Every structure is written in structure tokens, then in C-alpha cells.
Amino acid sequence: GNSVTQMEGPVTLSEEAFLTINCTYTATGYPSLFWYVQYPGEGLQLLLKATKADDKGSNKGFEATYRKETTSFHLEKGSVQVSDSAVYFCATNRDDKIIFGKGTRLHILP
Amino acid sequence: EPEVTQTPSHQVTQMGQEVILRCVPISNHLYFYWYRQILGQKVEFLVSFYNNEISEKSEIFDDQFSVERPDGSNFTLKIRSTKLEDSAMYFCASTRESYNEQFFGPGTRLTVL
């Protein structure tokens, strides 16, 4: 079945650094891909999504491109802020449920 | 902006007790879900619900679990006799159309002592 694997954390960066969080997927068919974010003490929020190959999802300066040739959906941001500190989950769908990766905790230092 | 709400935010209970976790999905949504996240582990699907019946359930969702939509707004998860291993964060989610993005609530942290 469909699944995702994302890089282990925690990831610690300085403010304004470039961020990449790797995510690869395995799937039958053509799943959608998501990045969800969980800020401290809050629930899961959809950060961005892509529904087909070569689609780029973007939101709040974050981007991820659905790459079928490398089965990847890496999350990137050019210049991170302290407020980006959170746990980031790569996810896909299988039937109508969401399948999550283990999550990557991101710490941004001022 | 409409959002999914959940109550309580934290529930502490004794092993063997019944708990009911409550969710209010977004009002025009038709598909409802429960997920759980054991501390330090991934978020796992428990059950999906549509048209007043369970659409799919995972192997985690055994006879101790049940879901209900008792009125037009609430969606509940009941654990009949809690075990220590039920301690987790439980997330409710909803969506208007199946296979679309799901909107998650803030979660209920369940602690079983």
C-alpha cells in the first residue's frame, strides 16, 4: 500500500538558513502528497499539497514538488524563521485515509 | 475560518474506565475520521465514517472502540474499557469530499493510568 518515508529529526538550523526535509513515497496508482505541520501545542495543519506528478505545492514560503521519477516530495524553504519551529509530517493518501510519515522536528535558533 | 474542534484537550482516566472523546467537524463536511498518535510515533488511521456508518477501520479499531454521530454536529469516539496502551493523542478530522485534504482538530491527549 501507499506509504511515505521522511528523514529523521530533529533538525536544528539557524534563522535564515535553507531548509530541506526529505520525503520519498511508495504508491500504486497516482496518490496525492501532503505536508502537514504541527506547531507546539496545536493540531495538524495542512501546509501544502500536490495532486499529480510535477505539481508544486507552496505556502508560507515552503515548497515541495511531486517528482515521479525519484518518488520524492521534499519540503524546502529558502530562509527559515524561529516561528517555523514545529514538527513536519509528509503524508499521502490510501483510499480515503491519510498515511503519515513519522514526522521531523525542526528547531530554528535565533 | 471554520475549524474542527475537540474536547477535552486532555483526559486522564483509570485503566478499565470508559472514555468518550468529542469532536465537532466543520459544518458542511460529510466524511469524518479518527487518528491517533502514540507519543513519539507516527499518526495512525483508526476509522472513517460516512452517512452514519463506518466506512473503514484499521486493525487497531477493535471491539473496545466505537464511533457515533449522535446529532448533526458532534462526532464521538468511545473506548469502552481503556488500557494503558490507549494512551495517545487522538485527532479528529473531516472533509467535504472523500479523497480530498482532511482538516484536523487540535487533538485530545488521553492518559490512561
Side-chain angles (χ1 to χ4, degrees):
Chain A
N2 298 356
S3 66
V4 293
T5 302
Q6 63 182 105
M7 64 189 284
E8 300 267 334
V11 173
T12 302
L13 295 172
S14 298
E15 205 165 23
E16 299 183 3
F18 183 85
L19 168 71
T20 302
I21 301 178
N22 290 338
C23 173
T24 55
Y25 68 90
T26 57
T28 52
Y30 304 97
S32 294
L33 297 169
F34 310 92
W35 277 100
Y36 279 83
V37 60
Q38 186 177 27
Y39 296 104
E42 298 186 18
L44 295 162
Q45 299 176 27
L46 179 67
L47 180 60
L48 52 84
K49 69 176 183 179
T51 58
K52 59 184 188 297
D54 299 326
D55 263 5
K56 179 188 280 189
S58 61
N59 186 23
K60 298 181 181 181
F62 290 89
E63 292 183 342
T65 302
Y66 189 159
R67 298 204 186 278
K68 196 175 174 189
E69 63 277 12
T70 53
T71 63
S72 65
F73 192 57
H74 304 323
L75 182 68
E76 296 181 336
K77 186 173 184 182
S79 176
V80 292
Q81 306 300 313
V82 172
S83 57
D84 294 327
S85 297
V87 181
Y88 292 81
F89 294 90
C90 185
T92 185
N93 56 351
R94 182 167 71 219
D95 302 322
D96 75 337
K97 56 185 175 286
I98 305 294
I99 306 298
F100 290 89
K102 289 187 175 181
T104 302
R105 185 173 295 278
L106 176 65
H107 295 289
I108 305 300
L109 304 175
Chain B
E1 188 175 329
E3 57 185 21
V4 177
T5 59
Q6 290 184 241
T7 54
S9 56
H10 191 189
Q11 173 92 47
V12 181
T13 190
Q14 296 290 325
M15 190 170 55
Q17 295 296 303
E18 175 184 285
V19 294
I20 298 176
L21 309 184
R22 292 186 165 79
C23 169
V24 179
I26 294 173
S27 63
N28 65 347
H29 284 187
L30 303 174
Y31 297 82
F32 313 111
Y33 308 83
W34 284 100
Y35 293 79
R36 80 171 186 191
Q37 183 184 28
I38 294 174
L39 186 65
Q41 299 186 24
K42 60 170 68 175
V43 179
E44 302 171 289
F45 167 79
L46 289 178
V47 65
S48 57
F49 191 87
Y50 170 71
N51 201 26
N52 278 320
E53 59 183 30
I54 290 173
S55 309
E56 187 178 351
K57 57 185 180 180
S58 72
E59 58 192 27
I60 302 168
F61 194 89
D62 62 22
D63 292 344
Q64 293 301 312
F65 291 87
S66 61
V67 290
E68 193 178 31
R69 189 153 162 83
D71 52 43
S73 59
N74 289 283
F75 179 51
T76 61
L77 174 69
K78 182 194 289 187
I79 309 175
R80 204 158 289 118
S81 176
T82 49
K83 308 185 194 65
L84 295 176
E85 55 265 36
D86 294 328
S87 295
M89 181 75 90
Y90 288 81
F91 293 104
C92 173
S94 70
T95 187
R96 172 130 181 94
E97 296 174 12
S98 184
Y99 297 86
N100 253 8
E101 66 191 72
Q102 295 177 13
F103 294 81
F104 284 78
T108 293
R109 180 170 298 284
L110 176 65
T111 302
V112 182
L113 302 176

